[in-house]
């Protein structure tokens, strides 16, 4: 029923290719997320994969990820990705949400869509939001997610090269600049 409430009811909107009310999806994602963060803080915790698991808030997000069709899920995941910004508990919560949805997905199609939403944002010119980089790096580096073993990563050589290129780019972007300076030999003035 929630999915139906997120769809546009007017025939004009459906005819124009807008089957879903994006403002409503954004509002739902924001509301559920802020309520979840308040709930987690009230228990004296901070957002993490374990603190968000098996909660009513995550149940809502998981049901949307599973029950929506491809278009609705894509819009829903984009609404979550819109919250991946600068370092704070809000960004951390939504990062954990995307990673949890990826880990608990019942089909590879959901995992592929999560990856697509993140990748679309990473292939554009920098700067990238901190939360986006951290989420993608965690996804590709943490063996829990088995990212590199998924079929969609290896479906074509071009796609695999794109993933490897973006991964290298993200890893370089996440390194503090001072480390690079320390690794290079000191130059002396002549």
């Amino acid at each position: 029923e929630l999915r139906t409430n997120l769809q546009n009811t007017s025939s004009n909107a459906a005819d124009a290719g807008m089957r879903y009310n994006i403002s409503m999806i954004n509002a739902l994602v924001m509301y559920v997320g802020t309520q979840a963060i308040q709930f987690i803080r009230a228990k004296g915790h901070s957002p993490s994969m374990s603190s968000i698991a098996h909660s009513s808030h995550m149940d809502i997000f998981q049901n949307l990820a599973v029950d929506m069709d491809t278009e609705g899920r894509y819009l829903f995941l984009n609404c979550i990705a819109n919250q991946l910004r600068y370092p704070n508990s809000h960004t951390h919560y939504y990062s954990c949400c995307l990673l949890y949805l990826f880990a608990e997905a019942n089909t590879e199609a959901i995992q592929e869509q999560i990856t697509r939403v993140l990748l679309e944002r990473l292939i554009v010119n920098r700067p990238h939001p901190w939360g986006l980089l951290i989420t993608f790096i965690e996804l590709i580096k943490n063996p829990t997610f088995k990212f590199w073993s998924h079929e969609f990563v290896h479906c074509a050589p071009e796609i695999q090269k794109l993933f490897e290129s973006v991964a290298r780019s993200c890893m370089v972007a996440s390194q503090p600049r001072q480390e690079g300076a320390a690794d290079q030999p000191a130059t002396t003035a002549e």
Side-chain angles (χ1 to χ4, degrees):
E1 184 174 326
L2 180 57
R3 175 182 161 188
T4 307
N5 290 330
L6 295 174
Q7 293 179 331
N8 282 321
T9 54
S10 69
S11 62
N12 292 341
D15 292 341
M18 298 184 306
R19 287 189 17 215
Y20 287 91
N21 185 336
I22 298 172
S23 296
M24 183 75 77
I25 298 171
N26 270 316
L28 176 70
V29 166
M30 179 64 79
Y31 180 77
V32 171
T34 55
Q35 293 300 307
I37 293 168
Q38 286 178 2
F39 180 75
I40 291 168
R41 282 187 179 160
K43 290 173 44 176
H45 299 289
S46 62
S48 68
M49 293 286 281
S50 60
S51 68
I52 68 170
H54 311 296
S55 67
S56 57
H57 306 98
M58 186 49 68
D59 287 346
I60 293 170
F61 286 164
Q62 282 186 292
N63 285 334
L64 286 172
V66 171
D67 293 343
M68 293 182 110
D69 61 1
T70 305
E71 177 190 359
R73 186 181 314 115
Y74 176 75
L75 295 170
F76 164 66
L77 294 171
N78 266 295
C79 290
I80 294 177
N82 287 341
Q83 306 306 318
L84 300 175
R85 298 181 253 188
Y86 52 91
N88 61 22
S89 62
H90 186 88
T91 295
H92 186 61
Y93 174 78
Y94 286 105
S95 176
C96 290
C97 282
L98 275 180
L99 294 171
Y100 186 82
L101 289 172
F102 187 93
E104 297 295 317
N106 59 1
T107 67
E108 196 164 273
I110 294 172
Q111 294 171 321
E112 184 175 356
Q113 269 193 306
I114 291 170
T115 304
R116 175 188 172 187
V117 165
L118 295 173
L119 191 64
E120 284 176 344
R121 293 159 185 262
L122 289 168
I123 60 175
V124 299
N125 289 332
R126 289 185 179 131
H128 302 303
W130 177 86
L132 176 67
L133 287 171
I134 292 303
T135 303
F136 189 72
I137 290 167
E138 182 70 14
L139 184 64
I140 62 176
K141 283 183 74 175
N142 190 330
T144 304
F145 302 113
K146 301 175 184 164
F147 179 80
W148 296 106
S149 67
H150 290 286
E151 183 66 31
F152 61 83
V153 175
H154 306 288
C155 66
E158 300 84 18
I159 299 295
Q160 186 171 352
K161 286 179 185 175
L162 175 66
F163 277 118
E164 290 168 357
S165 173
V166 171
R168 277 192 307 275
S169 174
C170 287
M171 299 306 201
V172 170
S174 70
Q175 301 294 324
R177 293 184 185 266
Q178 293 174 341
E179 284 182 11
D183 294 340
Q184 295 184 6
T187 57
T188 57
E190 296 181 330

